């Protein structure tokens, strides 16, 4: 359910905009998306894990807030992020 160091560094290097970048919205959204996908698979196998379901809902709402912020401030980067992560259809 958690990301190991190599996976996280790969996501950061893919979505970063500058050399010292690791906190921009795109990076946070990509990390949250990966965690959401792995937690979704966990919950398909463990249907009664309600505490993890609550964590999933909190991560989804945090990602939604970050996506709304990105859409408001930089619409083109928003489109690029959702296409590269496959979030929307």
């Amino acid at each position: 359910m958690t990301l190991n160091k190599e996976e996280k560094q790969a996501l950061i290097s893919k979505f970063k905009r500058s050399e010292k970048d690791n906190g921009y919205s795109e990076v946070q959204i990509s990390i949250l998306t990966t965690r959401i996908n792995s937690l979704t698979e966990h919950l398909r196998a463990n249907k009664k894990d309600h505490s993890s379901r609550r964590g999933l809902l909190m991560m989804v709402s945090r990602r939604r807030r970050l996506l709304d912020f990105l859409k408001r401030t930089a619409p083109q980067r928003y489109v690029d992020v959702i296409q590269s992560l496959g979030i929307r259809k």
Side-chain angles (χ1 to χ4, degrees):
M1 287 187 284
T2 61
L3 294 173
N4 61 22
K5 198 172 201 178
E6 293 81 22
E7 292 173 340
K8 195 170 187 178
Q9 289 301 325
L11 286 172
I12 290 171
S13 65
K14 182 178 178 185
F15 287 96
K16 70 180 179 179
R17 286 190 279 163
S18 66
E19 190 58 40
K20 294 187 176 189
D21 173 26
N22 59 0
Y24 280 113
S25 299
E26 296 94 332
V27 175
Q28 293 179 40
I29 290 167
S30 66
I31 291 171
L32 279 171
T33 300
T34 306
R35 290 182 63 199
I36 287 169
N37 290 339
S38 67
L39 194 54
T40 302
E41 291 302 317
H42 167 78
L43 287 173
R44 284 191 180 127
N46 303 291
K47 295 189 184 301
K48 295 185 179 184
D49 191 356
H50 298 296
S51 59
S52 292
R53 188 173 310 279
R54 179 177 183 269
L56 174 69
L57 291 175
M58 290 191 313
M59 281 191 274
V60 168
S61 65
R62 183 181 304 152
R63 183 180 69 177
R64 180 74 256 158
R65 287 192 306 266
L66 285 168
L67 283 168
D68 288 343
F69 168 76
L70 193 61
K71 187 176 184 179
R72 193 172 58 244
T73 57
Q76 184 57 44
R77 288 197 335 239
Y78 168 79
V79 170
D80 294 340
V81 167
I82 61 172
Q83 285 178 347
S84 64
L85 292 174
I87 297 174
R88 303 278 177 257
K89 292 183 180 179

